[in-house]
Amino acid sequence: MTTHAPHPFQTLRDLLRYAVSRFTEAELAFGHGTATAYDEAAYLLLHTLHLPIDTLDPFLDARLLPDEIERVLSVVNRRAGERVPASYITNEAWMHGRRFYVDERVIVPRSFIGELLEDALQPWVDHADDVSDVLELCTGSGCLAILAAETFPAAQIDAVDISPDALAVAKINVADYSLDDRIALHLGDLYAPLPTGKRYDVILTNPPYVNEGSMQVLPAEYRHEPRIALAGGNDGMDVVRRIIAGAREHLTDHGVLVVEIGNERHFVEAAFPDLPITWLATSAGDDMVFLVQAADLP
């Protein structure tokens, strides 16, 4: 009589250990929502098994069905073998407690502007309820436009992207949050598709800002993302220059421009040496996002 060896994996704990080992061995890059191999493994396992993604401990010693084990192994092997960002595997990203749909048509949302919106951009914006019009440039999946709509309850939001693929994803998210009546999506190049003469109290943007040197050495995970959403030219400032050049005529007299630039502060200061810039404090430091008041723009 032939007996088959039992499957080497039985519990969620077994698979979690295996996933962490695989991810560490593969030297994966994190930064699309998690920071460690453990966090990434826990998220992917819980999502794949349709368990609450913030509740791991009660299930660690639960025995899994063979088909559940195979599903988990498939996800772990894809993440480790293909270096695909987890969000493209699960088709979701979490930002500031909210879930958004994502796929390969957009970069995985990760923005420190979201943190600043939690405080309604105070003290730069006096009263959130008084903000009537907000513009988001390079909206991608539409996440910041949605967060802005929640922060500024009386505001209409115009969200612009040059990529029709990105706007198709943004449309899904705007509909998911039932904000079609407040968020208008515009296809085009920065300010070009906007209504003539319209001015905004707040302009937000997380534009392509990665300099060419950094683009050449991006980890594989980031190379799965649309290059158009990342690459900012030789010094990373190609799109930022155009945003700043056009911002004054699109802002109200007391409006503000908020720009996220990642690790490019030295390139910002080299490109705009005479611009009165205020660097805003975020959880990653005070060199990720800057603000310029309308009166100080060229």
Side-chain angles (χ1 to χ4, degrees):
M1 179 178 176
T2 302
T3 59
H4 296 282
H7 202 294
F9 303 107
Q10 295 187 25
T11 66
L12 183 57
R13 189 187 300 275
D14 294 338
L15 286 166
L16 181 65
R17 195 285 308 162
Y18 173 73
V20 173
S21 295
R22 280 295 310 277
F23 294 171
T24 304
E25 179 186 24
E27 297 182 346
L28 300 185
F30 306 105
H32 290 100
T34 62
T36 67
Y38 175 86
D39 288 345
E40 185 108 325
Y43 164 66
L44 282 172
L45 268 62
L46 290 167
H47 182 277
T48 302
L49 295 170
H50 305 289
L51 295 170
I53 64 166
D54 57 354
T55 309
L56 177 64
D57 288 353
F59 305 109
L60 277 171
D61 295 311
R63 290 179 176 241
L64 304 180
L65 297 171
D67 68 313
E68 291 179 319
I69 293 172
E70 292 305 322
R71 285 209 314 272
V72 168
L73 290 176
S74 175
V75 165
V76 170
N77 290 334
R78 186 179 179 207
R79 179 69 184 92
E82 300 177 29
R83 302 284 295 268
V84 179
S87 288
Y88 291 160
I89 297 174
T90 63
N91 288 128
E92 71 176 19
W94 289 84
M95 194 165 74
H96 307 293
R98 295 164 182 84
R99 179 194 177 278
F100 298 101
Y101 173 85
V102 296
D103 60 32
E104 289 86 348
R105 293 175 290 180
V106 293
I107 62 169
V108 178
R110 47 190 183 275
S111 176
F112 296 106
I113 292 176
E115 294 179 13
L116 300 167
L117 287 173
E118 290 181 354
D119 294 325
L121 296 178
Q122 291 184 338
W124 310 103
V125 173
D126 289 335
H127 301 289
D129 291 346
D130 293 339
V131 173
S132 61
D133 290 285
V134 174
L135 169 63
E136 191 209 350
L137 298 172
C138 312
T139 191
S141 54
C143 302
L144 284 181
I146 290 166
L147 294 178
E150 295 183 356
T151 297
F152 305 114
Q156 293 294 126
I157 319 290
D158 284 325
V160 179
D161 206 286
I162 200 170
S163 164
D165 282 343
L167 286 183
V169 175
K171 185 176 181 180
I172 293 170
N173 286 315
V174 170
D176 282 349
Y177 281 86
S178 302
L179 286 168
D180 301 83
D181 60 332
R182 294 185 53 212
I183 298 177
L185 301 174
H186 302 271
L187 175 63
D189 185 14
L190 300 181
Y191 305 105
L194 296 173
T196 302
K198 187 171 183 179
R199 290 179 178 259
Y200 300 89
D201 304 300
V202 176
I203 299 177
L204 307 170
T205 183
N206 185 8
Y209 56 66
V210 182
N211 69 77
E212 188 55 35
S214 295
M215 286 295 299
Q216 297 299 323
V217 295
L218 281 178
E221 283 83 352
Y222 294 88
R223 293 199 295 274
H224 281 279
E225 297 183 297
R227 178 183 170 87
I228 191 175
L230 296 172
N234 190 50
D235 65 350
M237 294 295 109
D238 285 4
V239 179
V240 178
R241 284 187 182 88
R242 296 173 55 225
I243 288 171
I244 287 176
R248 182 65 190 93
E249 65 180 288
H250 291 92
L251 280 170
T252 60
D253 290 342
H254 299 288
V256 293
L257 168 68
V258 181
V259 185
E260 183 157 345
I261 48 79
N263 298 309
E264 309 289 325
R265 177 171 177 165
H266 58 295
F267 283 116
V268 171
E269 292 177 336
F272 311 103
D274 301 320
L275 187 64
I277 284 174
T278 300
W279 292 95
L280 305 180
T282 72
S283 60
D286 61 356
D287 55 0
M288 298 283 175
V289 182
F290 69 84
L291 177 146
V292 186
Q293 294 175 285
D296 294 326
L297 283 161

